Amino acid sequence: MSVRHPLLKTSIHGFPLINPFLLASASPTASADLIRRAFLQGWAGAVTKTIKPDSMAVSDVSPRFHGWRDSAGAVVGFENIELVSKRDEAYWVKTIADLKTEFPDRMVIASLMGDSRPASWRNLACRMVEAGADALELNFSCPHGMPEKGVGAAIGQDPAITARITGWVKDVARKPVIVKLTPNVTDIRVTALAAVGAGADAIAAINTVESITGVDLDTLQPYPLVGGRSAYGGYSGAGVKPIGLKAVAQIAGAVSVPIHGMGGIRTWSDAAEYLSLGASVVQVCTEVMVSGFSIVKPLAEGLACYLDKKHFFGTEDLRGRALAKLSSHEGLDRSTQVRPSAARHEDCVLCGKCLVACRDGGYQAISIRDRRVQFDLEKCDGCSLCRVVCPEGVIEMNIATETKEIS
Ligand SMILES: Cc1cc2nc3c(=O)[nH]c(=O)nc-3n(C[C@H](O)[C@H](O)[C@H](O)COP(=O)(O)O)c2cc1C
Ligand code: SF4
Ligand code: SF4
């Protein structure tokens, strides 16, 4: 079975995993039945929807999602204003115990959110560990609703509170403690260091990015429209991948504990990029909400093929390999430059997008003559805008034989 390819076997916190793909804490892990169906499809583990103490009231709104689509209709960005789990502690105790009995080889991580008292975090942590949770993930990162109550991202935006609450849980937890961080900070390394300094065994990143995905221009109400009003939401899906990749790379450079990488993973190559920037495992949410649990098969198959093709002995061998290629801007090489060529000119549809882009956002170096795109390399500055905008993949950038001062 492809989800069990030998190259995908890995482990985290000493727990052996059939592959590096875990479900992130969210709607697809909101019940025992959902997690059970995901495990049957081949997910190696799941982080439960965030569990809160019974004393904390939670009331969701409807609707609570809004999608941002590309011109072909695919959801490329997703906003939610959903709160944590509405199910009670007893439900989660039974669910975790049942799942561990039924799927002992799958990792079940309990995501937790207490209130401002140490006992609320500690009681939840102890109950879920006793139920059989393999690890705990502390939700210091939900950007909507919960921060108004002083929890969620309100914790992850304050390194001192991050350290204090991590310490409360570490005092009692007999299982690894993962701290899930928010990207809605100036420098995520500061909170990662605070969490690890207080004993966190791993970091998970990113939770959603605070957002407004649009405004209904008839009613002038921001989305999602909830009875005539809206609220800032959390943005996820493909659109946040660059933010997630940067966060994971920065965390990997700052701390040495394992990282659960996430944010916008849709394909095996997205996952491979996270691993190459330092993640030990990846978590997925939005793409599962959009396309279902079965995506784990192409994810696993694609990653196994890639590892095999590149002669990596496993995901651990890929982990962090791209980090060494990150430098300060000052440290970048100024001695090489690139110039465009219409390498696949037979695919050119003469749409003129490259010409317009270079004319108004570049260096006026493109013309179309004799039904072919022509580059004036005297004028060209090697910026690569033309390659970015070409919808047909016609333009290649090649190392220039002659360089010049970039204007
Ligand atoms: C509808 C929805 C509900 C979510 N609920 C939670 C939650 O309860 N706890 C949590 O830690 N993260 C929650 N998240 C954040 C995800 O776990 C994840 O960090 C984020 O969506 C980025 O990953 P993605 O781009 O694969 O979705 C939620 C995300 C979505 C879209
Ligand atoms: S690389 Fe930049 S300057 Fe050169 S042709 Fe393309 S868009 Fe114009
Ligand atoms: S953008 Fe691409 S397809 Fe369009 S004219 Fe330029 S090279 Fe041809």
Side-chain angles (χ1 to χ4, degrees):
M1 195 171 144
S2 56
V3 293
R4 287 183 181 274
H5 193 287
L7 280 172
L8 299 178
K9 272 194 196 162
T10 184
S11 70
I12 191 156
H13 320 304
F15 190 95
L17 295 170
I18 59 169
N19 60 50
F21 297 107
L22 313 185
L23 284 177
S25 172
S27 324
T29 60
S31 76
D33 174 56
L34 285 161
I35 299 175
R36 185 173 291 118
R37 285 199 280 116
F39 285 170
L40 290 173
Q41 294 277 341
W43 291 86
V47 187
T48 66
K49 177 83 188 154
T50 297
I51 306 164
K52 49 112 191 124
D54 291 344
S55 56
M56 189 191 280
V58 162
S59 157
D60 259 321
V61 296
S62 165
R64 49 187 175 274
F65 302 146
H66 186 252
W68 193 40
R69 298 166 189 281
D70 65 14
S71 54
V75 177
V76 288
F78 188 88
E79 181 185 350
N80 88 88
I81 49 173
E82 178 170 289
L83 301 177
V84 296
S85 176
K86 295 180 281 286
R87 297 179 192 271
D88 64 15
E89 292 178 41
Y91 174 86
W92 284 109
V93 165
K94 178 167 169 25
T95 292
I96 291 169
D98 289 351
L99 287 169
K100 283 310 299 178
T101 307
E102 213 176 322
F103 301 94
D105 68 335
R106 307 305 164 92
M107 190 169 200
V108 177
I109 301 172
S111 168
L112 309 182
M113 183 185 287
D115 58 29
S116 58
R117 294 162 305 160
S120 82
W121 288 90
R122 288 180 172 148
N123 292 344
L124 264 189
C126 290
R127 282 197 85 178
M128 299 310 146
V129 168
E130 272 160 32
D134 298 302
L136 303 171
E137 187 180 274
L138 310 185
N139 179 345
F140 292 173
S141 43
C142 178
H144 46 266
M146 308 321 294
E148 295 166 23
K149 296 181 162 67
V151 288
I155 299 170
Q157 286 167 335
D158 186 323
I161 304 177
T162 294
R164 190 183 316 143
I165 299 181
T166 304
W168 292 346
V169 178
K170 276 298 291 180
D171 282 347
V172 296
R174 286 177 287 105
K175 290 286 177 176
V177 173
I178 307 156
V179 170
K180 183 167 178 184
L181 294 180
T182 171
N184 304 300
V185 288
T186 312
D187 188 343
I188 202 164
R189 288 169 287 206
V190 177
T191 28
L193 282 164
V196 173
D201 300 286
I203 299 291
I206 55 173
N207 205 316
T208 52
V209 181
E210 201 169 16
S211 64
I212 298 176
T213 37
V215 175
D216 180 325
L217 290 177
D218 281 332
T219 61
L220 294 175
Q221 291 164 1
Y223 296 115
L225 310 175
V226 185
R229 304 180 82 177
S230 193
Y232 299 114
Y235 195 44
S236 61
V240 309
K241 191 183 92 173
I243 300 167
L245 289 176
K246 184 211 73 165
V248 165
Q250 286 189 324
I251 295 164
V255 299
S256 52
V257 297
I259 301 167
H260 293 238
M262 80 197 90
I265 295 176
R266 288 193 295 183
T267 63
W268 69 265
S269 56
D270 298 329
E273 289 173 53
Y274 270 98
L275 298 172
S276 78
L277 286 168
S280 292
V281 291
V282 292
Q283 297 184 14
V284 185
C285 160
T286 301
E287 190 56 18
V288 169
M289 293 182 70
V290 171
S291 304
F293 292 129
S294 64
I295 63 161
V296 71
K297 293 189 181 89
L299 284 173
E301 229 161 68
L303 184 61
C305 280
Y306 169 76
L307 294 170
D308 186 39
K309 197 171 112 204
K310 297 289 283 181
H311 305 296
F312 289 130
F313 60 73
T315 56
E316 193 53 28
D317 196 12
L318 168 61
R319 185 165 63 84
R321 280 191 182 244
L323 287 170
K325 305 281 170 57
L326 274 171
S327 134
S328 64
H329 193 279
E330 190 58 34
L332 295 177
D333 175 23
R334 261 88 179 159
S335 65
T336 47
Q337 293 177 14
V338 289
R339 298 285 179 265
S341 72
R344 281 176 290 282
H345 66 87
E346 63 283 1
D347 294 334
C348 176
V349 293
L350 294 173
C351 66
K353 287 187 196 296
C354 57
L355 185 150
V356 171
C358 186
R359 184 189 67 201
D360 296 351
Y363 294 80
Q364 304 79 52
I366 298 183
S367 57
I368 296 183
R369 275 180 282 125
D370 304 327
R371 300 188 57 76
R372 278 188 77 149
V373 169
Q374 315 276 347
F375 300 97
D376 180 340
L377 297 186
E378 285 296 306
K379 290 185 177 169
C380 173
D381 208 49
C383 68
S384 77
L385 177 62
C386 49
R387 183 183 59 183
V388 172
V389 300
C390 175
E392 306 296 328
V394 170
I395 299 172
E396 246 181 28
M397 304 301 294
N398 309 300
I399 302 288
T401 46
E402 284 175 28
T403 59
K404 61 179 193 180
E405 194 148 327
I406 292 179
S407 49

